[in-house]
Amino acid sequence: MANLGYFNNDIKEYKITEMRPRRPLKNFLWNEQFILILDHFGFGESFRYITPEERRFVVNDGDAGRVIYIKDRESGEFYDANRNYLNKPFEKYECNVGIGYQQIVSEYKGVEVKFTLTVPTEGFAELWKIEVKNNTDKLKKIDLVPYCRPAVNVTSHLAYGRADYNTDLDGLYFLHDAYNIIHNYVSVFMKATLTPDSYDISDINFKGVYNSPSDPVALYNDELSNKGSAFDPNYCGAMQFKLDLAANEEKTVYIALGMATDLEDAKKSCDIYLKPGFFEESIAKVKSDADKMDGLYLLNSPDEYINTMVNIWLKRQISLGKTWGRVYNKGFRDIMQDTAGLSAFDGKFAREKIMVCLATQRPNGNPMRSFAPIDRDPYYDGAVWTPEAVLAYLNETGDLTVLDEDVPYFECDEHGTVFEHMYRGLRFLLDNRGEHNMVLWGGGDWNDSINNAGNQLKGESAWLSIATVKAVKEFCRICEIMGGKDDLIAKLLEERAVLKEAILKHAFEGDQFIYGINDWGEKVGSHESYQGKTYLNAQTWAVLAEMLDEEGLNKIMQTVEDKLKCDFGYVQCAPAYSESDLHIGRMAYFIPGGYENGSVYNHGVAFKIAADCLLGKADTAYESLMMMRYDNPKNANSGVEPYVITNMYFGPQEKYRPGFSFYAWFTGAAVWVYRDITEFILGVKGEYTGLQINPCLPSCWDNVFVSRVYRNARYNITYKRTGSYKLMVDGKEIDGNIAPIFPEGTEHTVVCEF
Amino acid sequence: MANLGYFNNDIKEYKITEMRPRRPLKNFLWNEQFILILDHFGFGESFRYITPEERRFVVNDGDAGRVIYIKDRESGEFYDANRNYLNKPFEKYECNVGIGYQQIVSEYKGVEVKFTLTVPTEGFAELWKIEVKNNTDKLKKIDLVPYCRPAVNVTSHLAYGRADYNTDLDGLYFLHDAYNIIHNYVSVFMKATLTPDSYDISDINFKGVYNSPSDPVALYNDELSNKGSAFDPNYCGAMQFKLDLAANEEKTVYIALGMATDLEDAKKSCDIYLKPGFFEESIAKVKSDADKMDGLYLLNSPDEYINTMVNIWLKRQISLGKTWGRVYNKGFRDIMQDTAGLSAFDGKFAREKIMVCLATQRPNGNPMRSFAPIDRDPYYDGAVWTPEAVLAYLNETGDLTVLDEDVPYFECDEHGTVFEHMYRGLRFLLDNRGEHNMVLWGGGDWNDSINNAGNQLKGESAWLSIATVKAVKEFCRICEIMGGKDDLIAKLLEERAVLKEAILKHAFEGDQFIYGINDWGEKVGSHESYQGKTYLNAQTWAVLAEMLDEEGLNKIMQTVEDKLKCDFGYVQCAPAYSESDLHIGRMAYFIPGGYENGSVYNHGVAFKIAADCLLGKADTAYESLMMMRYDNPKNANSGVEPYVITNMYFGPQEKYRPGFSFYAWFTGAAVWVYRDITEFILGVKGEYTGLQINPCLPSCWDNVFVSRVYRNARYNITYKRTGSYKLMVDGKEIDGNIAPIFPEGTEHTVVCEF
């Protein structure tokens, strides 16, 4: 394992100590409308979400957005404290990734700089705190020059742009008052708690025409140019603060960098952001909200990393998904799955999300693939995700009223209840069947990238058919909870049986399920295929949908172990497509080992871990989880941030960088891995009638403790390995595996022998 | 004047000797379908024009597309020969801007590198020639490492991309075989005439994750990584050639960098491009074509710069416009004006362009603003430009058949002759009139940026009305040439008189014409206006359209001198709009001094020079031309390339960079300035019946000689200042100012006394 740093759980930080890891390590800071995406240097873009199609950036240069230059006024030597372009021999470097902040600390020649970033809980700005400390016993005359690349040119027409130091604001003010602009956030401000000694507005003046960020021309002078700019392709915000630091003295400057509608708005915003204490209070509020969420499920297992992820970091990753979806994209399928996991943390939020998502379901029952921005591609799987999400919500909250909520259908006058939406969704799946009586593939399913197998509405997806079998069961469970729906249940179970039969007849090959049959009648993911012979999800979902008896399921999962396992997980399909195939679609043009085409797609691995648990294979499940970890010794330098789950590792068929993770954070895997650990391995899951405790703990785990809030009561659960199942609640043995619902605010002791 | 370099007319080069001018100096290399835009370092993008909406880039990184690294293998020291990132003390630097090539020459520690670029006359590639010479008397062990940033990711989906050294090609081969891509140029090749000793494909390997172009990690090793790459956001093409250069020895490597449909196509292309002599022959062909064009009009005046521009560089700039329009955009108005100038060089081409443009005229007579890409904004001025272009073509060629050519109207089944198109265009102008009986403004006219004054179809443009007066006259001249159209001429002249009367009544303020009256009934460009009181084009076009008697015209041109003149030309309007105004449009949101809002827009200055000449103000015209020049001592460091005309200089109201030119090359001013000098100052202009010689020479010019080809005969013209006009052709005095048409291939002596 590359030694990148370490967790400090006491303060919920990950401390990065390696300044130059394999790839920049990312962090996110956000509120409901504004987000800052940054790497361990503090570089990265920040923007406000305005409409699904419109973002307003404050910084849009991912490479060199924020630099904290330091110059020794006596020697003339300069460098930058956060990026170290010039590779100076720093005495210290660390990047503290915290909850709601990030702090880059460095020291060079006795000057310590702490650069902390946060996003206020409301508003459209990023806030900086810069502490400069003289750790020597002599006076240091230091220029502190914070620099940013604000996104001023919100239209492509440079002639709208002008910027200068604004004395009224006492800060830098960048205006792009464009004709016919579709939002009114036409200005950017950069203001500090100190009045700067000089400033720059244009990169031409600061960096020079031919110099680089490591070597800005302005730093060769005593002061910055103090020149405004207009019609500039490259604005910058740079402020010089001449600091005289006595021995061991520290000085602090705060900076607000944000967007505004006009000068008055900018002034008002800065008044708030730069009020003494605001910065620290803002972080404290984010941390306290996180603490509340974290407290809802606390784990103490023998595996410190798993504890850390469950208790802190997976929740952080899930929180990002909760507010921002995949940041650039809000998809029906993604949000519904997130919602299934989020019900345990925030029932009100999950309820809202269910309704928001269902409002993008077309009247024929098929939801939009993505609704922000709108993706009208004819994916057919949307409806399959709804029952699970709604059932999770009902189980977790007991709130049946959601089912009667009236929700419109997409882009039409029709509307109906949540229940009707769900049912109409199921009908879309059950009524759109192909020649083999399986569900039509359409433009694709979970596997977005098989997007040309079923467009002619002949191809059938075996995976989608299996997922429908599962969804029908979940929907029937909802009917059961509602009561009085026996006829509907009976009818659906019959339809389910027919569908199941069709799948077994046409999609089962004894040791595996195929993925589907395309428009041309060709089997996809079959032993007959010359590439893409085995697909992970078809097998794991067959387990989730109970498609076979236990022996049959064990057999197909053995195929998974035999064909899909590699050193860092399980590939989506194997062998990956190495020849492009128009009868598959996009996926078969991807490089072998990339995305769905044979990468270790962790969303799929998370399904696999759940399937393992359902079959009681605790150690296999745990081992699969270990392979995904950043500290997997067989994938020692994968690039992934230790504190998040990555979307994928390039598969073993990728020639150049197998095992590499090129980004993390945005992935449906986060919620699913959280559920793997909490619901499937630890087995603690809300049911409608109580809290189910059904563990599947790896053999190496003893002394496991979980504290879990369910229906606002707390269950403190200890596990004992005895070889036979027994559930004790507050000292009394319980029949079955479900601990009862308790009054809000109460706390209970649960002992689970297994 | 900043000392940037000098012209070398013997070989038609401009030699840039200043490595770090105020802004990078641009040059263009192109064939009919492929273009390379480069600065004096050789940086800049190259692409193929596929459809109006689609370009296929080979290099799309404007900042660091091509670098020639040199490493001394013995000392380990490395640098780059064309950009000098590290600011090494070069012994020599020059960039030779030639016709069809550009050559960057540098020398450091006795190693001279010549980096020459060209584009073949056919095909989709850029070609490099790199000559490395050891100017010392000792053996030098040199690594030559040419580097580029090819545009491999033609879709945003990185997973389609893969690249490696291809042994079959014996070069680097980058593939992006994407699903559903709209063209098939899915690969890029980079191949040299030598097999490299090592290579890199990925910037991660070459430059490193955290290093910069000045300091690539690969150059610290003996060899490049020899690793392929896939799914890479940053491909590169880097090849190491280990050259042992004896004292005074020189070695040459050629490189072809281009696009291909597949490997076979790449191999075939490289076979052609890298054939011995191909590079030099390719440049020779471009030069010989340019020589032919240059020879059609040769000037020998006392002003060396004007000679250079007329004889070489304006023609080069016009050639770019001829093939590529404004490179990113092909506009009706722009092409029609270019055509008016191009008829003298290439009648066949002008004929084609007229028909291509007219096919984008809507059936109501109003052409599209721009047709590649399509701009449907409802500009109203298109039709006003057609008669001048067609008349110029007729005058220059005598070919009346063009008028009968059948051309479709835009996006409909209608079609009609060129003549009908012209007339329908005039009717659009004459029939769409407002309350004051002037021509409706619509979405804008020449001044694109007054785009909200007339959208309600109430506002009237005085300028467009004046331009219509001029166009009617030109159209009538065409009718006259055709013959038998007396009734139509009479009718049109009557309509013209009525329109003229309306303009004089509602748009004339005694010492100036207003620009128009907007939808709200407010005068624009009037003494009544509180900003934008005087517009240049309304006055200069009043002269071109003969709106007043000479005294009246002189008076309004005096207003131009009084209100619009500055040190580097004449501003488009004054005072510029400093407050945004929705009743004007985009222009009133531009910064004061930017574009139409009060910059020195040289297209407008070119109209002004023509107007001066029409009023006989030779010295004023010449002085205006002097102000536009790169060597205007009052705008000594404007940034403009000495060898081209710039679109604009920021106006004096621009606070930070008045007089600055931020780009040149793309501008309607090129053809118009050429016409100013050749047709208006030198007064040599094709008429239908012969070659008109009607000079307006500045008082400081004596001993002027022009050699001009007209209808394929050559006229060698000398001018004599006598105070009275007399035209001698082949020794005989001619009545009037028109030298007769002569048989093709003949040569004639003309003496013009004036």
Side-chain angles (χ1 to χ4, degrees), chain A residues 21 24 83 157 159-162 164 177 179 210 228-231 452 586 589-591 595 650 654 656-657 662, chain B residues 21 23-24 83 159-162 164 177 179 210 228-231 451-452 586 589-591 595 650 656-657 662:
Chain A
R83 172 60 175 81
H157 224 312
Y160 295 131
R162 61 208 85 178
D164 213 333
D177 185 17
Y179 170 72
Y210 300 108
S229 188
F231 207 116
N452 204 36
R586 188 169 70 202
Y589 292 74
F590 290 167
I591 55 161
Y595 288 126
F650 285 130
E654 207 284 313
Y656 310 106
R657 293 177 290 173
F662 80 101
Chain B
R23 68 162 171 80
R83 171 63 175 81
Y160 295 131
R162 62 209 84 178
D164 212 333
D177 184 17
Y179 171 71
Y210 301 108
S229 188
F231 207 116
N451 62 345
N452 204 36
R586 188 168 69 201
Y589 292 73
F590 290 167
I591 56 162
Y595 288 127
F650 285 130
Y656 310 107
R657 293 176 291 174
F662 80 101

Side-chain angles (χ1 to χ4, degrees), chain B residues 23 35 79 137 182 220 270 355 419 461 469 510 570 596 697 717 724 739:
Chain B
R23 68 162 171 80
I35 190 162
Y79 68 99
D137 52 8
I182 67 168
Y220 290 94
C270 289
M355 290 196 290
F419 181 79
S461 165
V469 166
Y570 294 81
E596 291 88 346
L697 299 191
I717 308 160
S724 74

Side-chain angles (χ1 to χ4, degrees), chain A residues 460-732:
Chain A
E460 297 154 71
S461 165
W463 176 84
L464 185 54
S465 303
I466 292 167
T468 301
V469 167
K470 174 172 173 287
V472 169
K473 191 183 167 197
E474 288 151 352
F475 183 76
C476 287
R477 172 65 186 143
I478 293 169
C479 291
E480 225 176 81
I481 291 171
M482 294 168 79
K485 301 231 179 262
D486 291 351
D487 291 353
L488 181 57
I489 294 174
K491 172 179 144 68
L492 282 170
L493 290 180
E494 205 179 299
E495 289 191 77
R496 180 173 178 265
V498 172
L499 175 57
K500 208 167 154 177
E501 198 185 311
I503 299 168
L504 289 170
K505 183 162 174 203
H506 298 291
F508 184 50
E509 295 187 327
D511 60 348
Q512 70 168 12
F513 286 88
I514 66 167
Y515 200 85
I517 301 170
N518 67 16
D519 282 335
W520 294 265
E522 300 155 357
K523 286 187 182 170
V524 175
S526 153
H527 292 307
E528 293 173 15
S529 310
Y530 79 100
Q531 48 186 1
K533 286 167 176 288
T534 301
Y535 276 68
L536 177 59
N537 290 3
Q539 320 318 320
T540 56
W541 277 66
V543 178
L544 303 184
E546 300 166 86
M547 288 296 300
L548 301 168
D549 61 16
E550 200 177 321
E551 190 191 330
L553 294 176
N554 275 317
K555 192 165 172 187
I556 61 170
M557 287 306 285
Q558 190 55 47
T559 303
V560 167
E561 299 296 334
D562 295 343
K563 308 270 190 188
L564 306 180
K565 189 175 179 179
C566 72
D567 282 347
F568 34 90
Y570 294 81
V571 297
Q572 257 301 303
C573 77
Y577 294 80
S578 49
E579 278 177 44
S580 60
D581 185 349
L582 205 57
H583 294 187
I584 298 290
R586 188 169 70 202
M587 173 183 173
Y589 292 74
F590 290 167
I591 55 161
Y595 288 126
E596 292 88 345
N597 191 22
S599 86
V600 172
Y601 214 81
N602 280 328
H603 197 184
V605 178
F607 297 148
K608 191 263 177 191
I609 293 170
D612 283 338
C613 290
L614 288 179
L615 293 174
K617 302 174 182 230
D619 286 345
T620 312
Y622 186 59
E623 193 193 316
S624 302
L625 195 57
M626 302 289 283
M627 289 199 286
M628 191 188 292
R629 292 160 66 141
Y630 82 100
D631 57 356
N632 174 355
K634 291 193 174 162
N635 193 25
N637 189 15
S638 69
V640 71
E641 293 81 1
Y643 43 89
V644 275
I645 297 297
T646 183
N647 184 50
M648 71 153 168
Y649 297 112
F650 285 130
Q653 279 184 263
E654 207 284 313
K655 277 163 74 176
Y656 310 106
R657 293 177 290 173
F660 180 62
S661 151
F662 80 101
Y663 78 93
W665 282 97
F666 313 154
T667 169
V671 157
W672 260 96
V673 168
Y674 182 81
R675 291 181 63 194
D676 282 341
I677 303 171
T678 58
E679 292 183 17
F680 288 89
I681 294 176
L682 295 158
V684 182
K685 178 169 177 295
E687 285 291 336
Y688 190 68
T689 54
L691 187 66
Q692 188 183 63
I693 323 274
N694 185 24
C696 184
L697 300 191
S699 52
C700 58
W701 276 16
D702 279 312
N703 296 319
V704 174
F705 172 77
V706 166
S707 177
R708 208 285 203 182
V709 173
Y710 166 70
R711 305 252 180 129
N712 297 316
R714 182 171 291 279
Y715 297 68
N716 293 318
I717 308 159
T718 49
Y719 294 78
K720 273 191 203 163
R721 194 182 299 271
T722 60
S724 73
Y725 188 87
K726 187 169 144 191
L727 188 63
M728 308 277 292
V729 178
D730 292 334
K732 277 184 284 188

Side-chain angles (χ1 to χ4, degrees), chain A residues 332 336 354 358 361 367 381-392 418 421-422 425 471 474 478:
Chain A
F332 185 94
M336 275 298 185
I354 287 168
L358 287 179
Q361 186 171 332
D381 66 309
V384 96
W385 305 97
T386 316
E388 178 179 55
V390 173
L391 180 56
V418 165
H421 274 75
M422 259 194 300
E474 288 151 352
I478 293 169

